[in-house]
Amino acid sequence: MLVSLTVGKVDAGVTVLLTPDKRLIEFPSILLPPNISSGSIVDINVSQNTAKESTEEQNFRALQERIFESFGAAEPATPVLRCRNATQTSVVLEWDPVDLATADLVSLSLYRNGQKAGNIPRPMQMHSTKISGLAVDAEYTFHLVLRTTAGTRTSEKVTVRTHKMTDLSGITITTGIMSSAVKENLAQAVERIGAKIVDTVRIDTTHFVTTEGRGTAWEKAVETNIPVVRPEWVEACEKNGRILGVTKFYLDAMRPGPPSEERPSPPIVPKKDEPAPVPKNAGSDKPKESEAPPPPSKDEEEEEDDDDEDEDEAQQPEPKVKSPHPDDQKMRLEDKTEQKVALRPSTSSRPSDAARTEQTEDEEDDEEAEEEANGKKSEPSSEQDGASFQEVEL
């Protein structure tokens, strides 16, 4: 196809060409003859190169095939979730390694009962996880959600029921250092209760049984917070027919020893209702005030009156001890008065002693008058037991 065009304006890079119907066409100046100028007429032959088009199309198709084979043929695999072990309060889940094909990983999340439980850390290296703090004998559903640049993949739901307290099949034991006899008895007990023993400390290990706290396996169990117990724990679980707490069976817990013949007797704690014992004064042979003596006979009463008279004349008055509590002093004075009344013989029961009692009182009055005349102050009359309330330690 031959086309005649008129040169309108010539620039260094672009030349403006005019068509017969007065349309403007910008044409590269480098493709035009070198001697043209404004007003020149140039003929341009235009044709289609079908062979070249076919070649380019084939090249393009090959490129598309290579792209599809590299990035579109393999898709990220759907994660496969399964239960590895279940106990009374925990579940161990595991899954196959994540296959992303040519896509990039965004996240791998675990869902429990339809709600997100959290993201799996380092999903390309970790292929298992442990869920703790579950209820006993309860049913749970779990599934994984894999998010990639090529889309989202969801695993099948896994239903797991935690064990009852009497179901010991979920116990997984790793043994430590112990004698061969103890290890053999432990293996038999584990087999009887339906549990299992593994060689190394794994994520599904529930208890580490040993008699000595040393070794690499023991260190790993301590680092991963696995209970380290003695073999007696397995025997106790078998005896009770249910899983027991491990507090009393820790390796570092104190073992109950045989009963000792000599045990220190616990201190005697006085009861609230019983009064505290009152010690005697140093160098005093007088009885305690709280112990009331029996009523004296006639002869004893006369002898006591004579002794009181001698003591009043011979002894000097002692300084009174100030009581820190006036209420206590008042109560003890009342007790002393009541005790005097109780010790005084009744006139109704012994009418023959009335004259003798009056004579004794008259003698006491005379003695008091003599003491006042001599300027002496008589000491307060003491009780029948000879101990005043000031002399008693509170």
Side-chain angles (χ1 to χ4, degrees):
M1 180 180 179
L2 183 62
V3 179
S4 298
L5 301 174
T6 303
V7 178
K9 181 181 179 181
V10 179
D11 287 335
V14 177
T15 300
V16 178
L17 302 178
L18 301 176
T19 62
D21 54 355
K22 308 302 180 183
R23 294 179 179 275
L24 298 178
I25 299 176
E26 292 183 352
F27 198 81
S29 300
I30 194 172
L31 299 178
L32 296 176
N35 297 326
I36 62 172
S37 61
S38 297
S40 299
I41 296 175
V42 293
D43 293 335
I44 297 176
N45 190 10
V46 180
S47 61
Q48 182 180 7
N49 192 342
T50 55
K52 187 67 174 178
E53 289 180 359
S54 177
T55 303
E56 292 296 332
E57 184 177 1
Q58 291 178 0
N59 294 337
F60 179 75
R61 296 286 182 183
L63 177 62
Q64 292 292 332
E65 290 293 334
R66 290 196 303 270
I67 294 174
F68 179 77
E69 291 176 358
S70 300
F71 301 99
E75 298 180 357
T78 301
V80 178
L81 182 66
R82 55 185 173 271
C83 177
R84 183 172 180 175
N85 187 33
T87 63
Q88 282 72 15
T89 58
S90 63
V91 172
V92 177
L93 303 173
E94 64 178 2
W95 55 89
D96 295 336
V98 178
D99 184 9
L100 298 176
T102 58
D104 294 331
L105 176 66
V106 176
S107 65
L108 179 62
S109 305
L110 178 66
Y111 284 74
R112 179 178 67 185
N113 293 339
Q115 296 182 353
K116 185 177 180 179
N119 292 331
I120 303 299
R122 298 181 290 108
M124 301 304 296
Q125 290 80 24
M126 292 185 60
H127 305 138
S128 60
T129 186
K130 185 176 183 179
I131 309 298
S132 303
L134 304 179
V136 179
D137 193 20
E139 188 174 274
Y140 297 90
T141 58
F142 300 93
H143 70 276
L144 289 174
V145 176
L146 175 64
R147 293 181 176 86
T148 65
T149 55
T152 302
R153 305 289 187 274
T154 304
S155 69
E156 296 291 336
K157 293 184 178 181
V158 176
T159 302
V160 181
R161 174 173 286 277
T162 55
H163 293 178
K164 298 180 180 179
M165 298 300 292
T166 55
D167 187 359
L168 306 179
S169 60
I171 298 176
T172 304
I173 295 174
T174 301
T175 57
I177 299 175
M178 62 182 68
S179 62
S180 57
V182 175
K183 193 169 187 178
E184 183 178 356
N185 295 335
L186 177 64
Q188 295 175 359
V190 168
E191 184 178 358
R192 288 192 298 268
I193 64 177
K196 53 183 176 291
I197 296 179
V198 294
D199 297 332
T200 60
V201 177
R202 308 184 308 189
I203 190 174
D204 59 338
T205 300
T206 58
H207 298 82
F208 186 84
V209 180
T210 183
T211 56
E212 298 182 18
R214 58 188 178 90
T216 57
W218 171 78
E219 293 177 357
K220 186 175 181 180
V222 173
E223 291 176 358
T224 54
N225 294 328
I226 296 176
V228 179
V229 297
R230 304 189 304 272
E232 289 84 348
W233 177 78
V234 180
E235 299 174 359
C237 291
E238 180 184 9
K239 182 178 180 180
N240 291 270
R242 63 196 304 272
I243 189 168
L244 300 177
V246 297
T247 304
K248 299 180 180 179
F249 300 93
Y250 278 130
L251 181 62
D252 55 353
M254 184 179 297
R255 301 189 182 186
S260 174
E261 295 181 358
E262 297 181 358
R263 290 187 178 179
S265 58
I268 301 175
V269 180
K271 298 181 180 179
K272 295 182 178 180
D273 297 338
E274 295 181 358
V278 181
K280 295 182 179 180
N281 291 334
S284 175
D285 297 331
K286 301 177 183 179
K288 298 179 182 178
E289 181 185 2
S290 59
E291 298 178 0
S297 61
K298 299 176 183 179
D299 299 334
E300 291 177 354
E301 185 177 357
E302 293 177 358
E303 293 176 358
E304 289 177 359
D305 292 338
D306 296 338
D307 294 340
D308 293 340
E309 293 175 2
D310 297 337
E311 289 178 0
D312 293 339
E313 295 176 357
Q315 294 180 358
Q316 294 294 333
E318 297 180 358
K320 296 183 179 179
V321 180
K322 187 176 179 181
S323 175
H325 300 286
D327 295 338
D328 295 344
Q329 184 177 2
K330 184 178 179 181
M331 292 175 63
R332 291 186 174 273
L333 287 173
E334 292 176 357
D335 293 342
K336 189 198 315 185
T337 305
E338 292 177 0
Q339 208 169 40
K340 280 185 176 183
V341 174
L343 296 176
R344 185 173 298 171
S346 175
T347 55
S348 60
S349 61
R350 299 179 181 178
S352 60
D353 298 339
R356 184 172 298 181
T357 304
E358 293 177 0
Q359 182 180 358
T360 305
E361 291 177 356
D362 294 338
E363 293 176 355
E364 292 179 356
D365 294 339
D366 295 339
E367 292 174 359
E368 291 178 0
E370 292 178 0
E371 291 177 358
E372 290 178 359
N374 296 330
K376 297 181 180 179
K377 294 183 179 179
S378 61
E379 185 181 4
S381 60
S382 60
E383 297 177 351
Q384 295 295 332
D385 56 1
S388 63
F389 71 94
Q390 291 89 348
E391 298 174 347
V392 179
E393 293 183 7
L394 300 180

